Amino acid sequence: MSLLKSFLVLLCLLTGFSASASAQSDAETLRPLINELAKGKYKETEQQIGALAATGDPAVAPALEALGAGSLYYRKSDNLVFIAEKDGKSFNLTDPLTLESTGTAGKREVKKIKVNNKLRRVIRAALGSLTLQAVDPAVRMTAAQSIFKAQDPEKIEALDVALDTETDETVRTVMEQARAAAILNSDLDDADKLAAVETLTEMGNRDALSLLINVEARSEGALKTAAASGVTKIQKSMATWDAAQNVWYGLSLGSVLLLAAIGLAITFGVMGVINMAHGEMVMIGAYVTFVVQELIRTSAPGLFEYSLFIALPLAFLASGCVGIAIERGVIRWLYGRPLETLLATWGISLILQQAVRSIFGPTNREVGNPDWMSGAFELGQMTITYNRMWIILFAFLVFAGLLLVLKKTPFGLYTRAVTQNRRMAASMGIRTPWIDALTFGLGSGIAGIAGVALSQIDNVSPNLGQGYIIDSFMVVVFGGVGNLWGTLVGAMTLGVVNKFLEPYAGAVLAKILVLVFIILFIQKRPRGLFALKGRAVEA
């Protein structure tokens, strides 16, 4: 048994010695190549970068990275190359292969190996080829993408070797695309280039389109025809994806309009009040979110991911209470006088804006995005951002919740009764003044939670609500006053139409065209898309 243990110990020692000797041998082989970088001339430096990349040894990657970053120096006395980090009046030297510290040197003892933009591109391509065999698939993916951008024909062989052993299908696809891009920039025969054109056509994105347009411009015969066919196919595919992306942007804008307008649809529909301070209810909700996040940052940073869930009920209560106070204090004395109501609420909006400026200042306030609302993902050729996706889902949840309240609760029944025939509802014992106050509070509270959502995609400032008040009225009038389904359809329709018009007419002219369309539309349908029914409404 002791003999077996001795044998195992001896075997481990021999293995370690062999590995150490092998590593030392590799380092001694690579070191002269790295030291050749000390010659300093751009042309020779480029040749040495190529020689280092040709070794295929990842050990040279730190030296190349340092060269690209401008931290590779050579010692004048012996022309040995080091990674140097400035430390006051001297430099700390690190071996570029072993990454061990080798002492210090004065400023006059070392000289930087200079690089230009061309060399930096060569370095990036070289690093890309070195990392094609990395263990981490993400590193291999980045390497293949780097080669695709560089279109370096000298990397075709390295890609062929990497493709023979690649097991990850996603990485393999990117490598094949990089190989195709390199082939189209090489002197290989047309058969290989035709296959490369087919690969890029299947890729089907803007990068592939740009490459194929260049190939079409400089080629002849079958290759030119194949490239032209690929360009046409990609353009048709991209037109479809662009339309889908515009629909997504339109739904995103529509969800924002829905959140901003849905509360207005209730107050405008029930009481016929033109509330110009509705945008400020949105602003209050956004500032509540800011205050909640500030308190969490200073008191409980671990709760930041839940800050929006904490802010939602608080924003609803804050905006709702302000709304009820406005209705009880001002608006209830002005029923039946729309012009005075409009002027009064406009004055209130100015007061609220100035109050916020006095408390929080006139500048934009930062509201952070939790991790689950940050970033984006690709769906085909579309880019879907998480914050917009969650806001769309949130808008539909708010809509469904409000619909449930109005259809399935006594308060909803009273609200619908007052909306359809106020005098009859009062005759049946419904306290219409309180319904007015609570409905105004509900609409204002929903505007507040809309502000929570908008704080994630817009600047939180005293003017936040002003950007949505006009659009909100347009949505309500177009969809049908007081009709939630009309508000939903109106918001989504205007959002999608706006986004389809913007590429051709610009953002401002697109809004003007939408406004003209609504004016013409209400000439034919004064009550909007979905008109409410009831004796008082129809009177």
Side-chain angles (χ1 to χ4, degrees):
M1 191 71 176
S2 60
L3 182 63
L4 179 60
K5 288 182 179 179
S6 300
F7 176 76
L8 289 174
V9 170
L10 179 61
L11 181 62
C12 291
L13 289 172
L14 289 173
T15 303
F17 176 78
S18 174
S20 175
S22 175
Q24 185 176 0
S25 175
D26 289 342
E28 292 307 318
T29 303
L30 296 173
R31 195 174 302 281
L33 294 175
I34 291 178
N35 288 335
E36 284 293 312
L37 293 169
K39 292 181 178 179
K41 294 181 180 179
Y42 289 144
K43 187 174 182 180
E44 293 173 347
T45 301
E46 183 176 354
Q47 292 172 352
Q48 286 309 118
I49 292 169
L52 289 169
T55 64
D57 194 330
V60 303
L64 291 177
E65 289 172 353
L67 180 61
S71 57
L72 199 67
Y73 288 69
Y74 69 91
R75 193 160 53 195
K76 295 177 182 179
S77 60
D78 52 13
N79 281 347
L80 293 181
V81 173
F82 299 92
I83 299 173
E85 182 181 354
K86 192 173 183 180
D87 184 15
K89 295 183 178 181
S90 61
F91 288 89
N92 295 323
L93 304 182
T94 303
D95 188 291
L97 288 172
T98 64
L99 300 181
E100 296 176 353
S101 177
T102 57
T104 61
K107 289 183 179 180
R108 296 184 179 181
E109 296 177 32
V110 293
K111 187 174 182 179
K112 180 190 288 189
I113 302 173
K114 296 180 180 180
V115 293
N116 54 20
N117 288 334
K118 181 183 177 182
L119 286 178
R120 289 188 183 93
R121 289 193 293 270
V122 173
I123 292 168
R124 285 196 293 269
L127 287 170
S129 63
L130 283 172
T131 49
L132 285 172
Q133 302 288 346
V135 176
D136 188 352
V139 175
R140 301 198 301 273
M141 175 84 76
T142 302
Q145 290 170 342
S146 175
I147 295 173
F148 179 89
K149 292 176 182 177
Q151 303 170 40
D152 188 354
E154 294 181 3
K155 299 301 182 290
I156 295 174
E157 185 177 347
L159 284 166
D160 288 336
V161 174
L163 282 167
D164 289 338
T165 58
E166 185 56 59
T167 56
D168 189 301
E169 286 301 320
T170 304
V171 177
R172 185 180 185 84
T173 299
V174 177
M175 286 184 176
E176 289 172 348
Q177 293 165 354
R179 183 178 182 275
I183 286 174
L184 290 176
N185 201 32
S186 70
D187 295 328
L188 294 177
D189 57 34
D190 282 359
D192 291 323
K193 291 185 177 181
L194 286 170
V197 167
E198 185 176 348
T199 299
L200 291 178
T201 302
E202 291 175 359
M203 183 181 177
N205 61 11
R206 297 186 189 279
D207 292 332
L209 178 63
S210 177
L211 287 176
L212 291 180
I213 288 174
N214 290 333
V215 171
E216 181 186 4
R218 67 173 186 260
S219 303
E220 296 179 353
L223 183 59
K224 184 180 183 71
T225 303
S229 175
V231 167
T232 302
K233 186 175 180 180
I234 292 176
Q235 285 175 338
K236 288 181 179 178
S237 173
M238 287 181 61
T240 302
W241 282 110
D242 285 345
Q245 185 77 72
N246 280 334
V247 170
W248 170 256
Y249 288 149
L251 292 176
S252 176
L253 175 60
S255 66
V256 171
L257 294 178
L258 177 63
L259 284 172
I262 194 169
L264 190 64
I266 299 171
T267 56
F268 197 17
V270 172
M271 295 174 287
V273 173
I274 303 174
N275 180 19
M276 294 299 293
H278 185 77
E280 278 55 53
M281 303 299 108
V282 176
M283 175 197 69
I284 289 172
Y287 272 98
V288 168
T289 310
F290 165 72
V291 171
V292 167
Q293 287 197 352
E294 285 298 300
L295 290 174
I296 287 176
R297 284 192 181 102
T298 56
S299 305
L303 294 177
F304 186 80
E305 292 298 309
Y306 308 99
S307 59
L308 298 185
F309 297 105
I310 298 170
L312 282 172
L314 295 177
F316 180 86
L317 288 173
S319 296
C321 290
V322 172
I324 291 174
I326 292 172
E327 196 280 334
R328 290 285 85 190
V330 178
I331 293 177
R332 69 170 174 150
W333 309 106
L334 301 173
Y335 285 132
R337 297 153 65 183
L339 182 59
E340 286 88 340
T341 305
L342 186 149
L343 291 174
T345 53
W346 180 59
I348 291 170
S349 73
L350 296 179
I351 293 170
L352 291 174
Q353 287 180 45
Q354 190 56 47
V356 167
R357 285 192 184 93
S358 300
I359 297 171
F360 298 100
T363 57
N364 295 341
R365 291 294 182 172
E366 180 187 358
V367 174
N369 284 27
D371 289 341
W372 51 273
M373 285 193 75
S374 303
F377 64 94
E378 299 290 329
L379 180 62
Q381 300 296 325
M382 293 171 55
T383 301
I384 309 294
T385 56
Y386 285 112
N387 58 355
R388 294 280 182 175
M389 182 185 74
W390 287 117
I391 286 174
I392 289 175
L393 293 176
F394 178 68
F396 280 102
L397 284 175
V398 171
F399 176 82
L402 186 58
L403 204 63
L404 192 65
V405 167
L406 293 179
K407 296 291 185 183
K408 300 295 182 181
T409 64
F411 171 72
L413 177 64
Y414 298 157
T415 301
R416 286 183 285 125
V418 173
T419 302
Q420 293 177 14
N421 195 319
R422 176 179 293 272
R423 293 179 64 186
M424 181 61 72
S427 299
M428 297 297 293
I430 297 174
R431 299 178 64 183
T432 56
W434 281 107
I435 294 297
D436 289 339
L438 293 176
T439 303
F440 203 92
L442 176 63
S444 300
I446 292 172
I449 61 176
V452 177
L454 293 178
S455 69
Q456 300 298 296
I457 59 174
D458 207 341
N459 295 323
V460 177
S461 70
N463 299 320
L464 172 64
Q466 294 299 301
Y468 297 97
I469 184 65
I470 301 301
D471 288 338
S472 299
F473 274 110
M474 287 168 58
V475 167
V476 171
V477 171
F478 176 64
V481 175
N483 191 302
L484 292 185
W485 287 106
T487 304
L488 173 65
V489 174
M492 295 303 166
T493 301
L494 295 183
V496 172
V497 169
N498 228 314
K499 287 302 176 181
F500 271 96
L501 287 176
E502 279 183 7
Y504 307 101
V508 176
L509 186 56
K511 285 186 177 293
I512 294 172
L513 291 174
V514 169
L515 178 60
V516 171
F517 164 74
I518 291 176
I519 291 172
L520 295 175
F521 178 80
I522 61 177
Q523 296 297 315
K524 296 292 184 182
R525 292 181 65 91
R527 296 180 186 173
L529 283 174
F530 299 92
L532 286 175
K533 297 184 181 297
R535 289 175 185 159
V537 172
E538 294 170 357

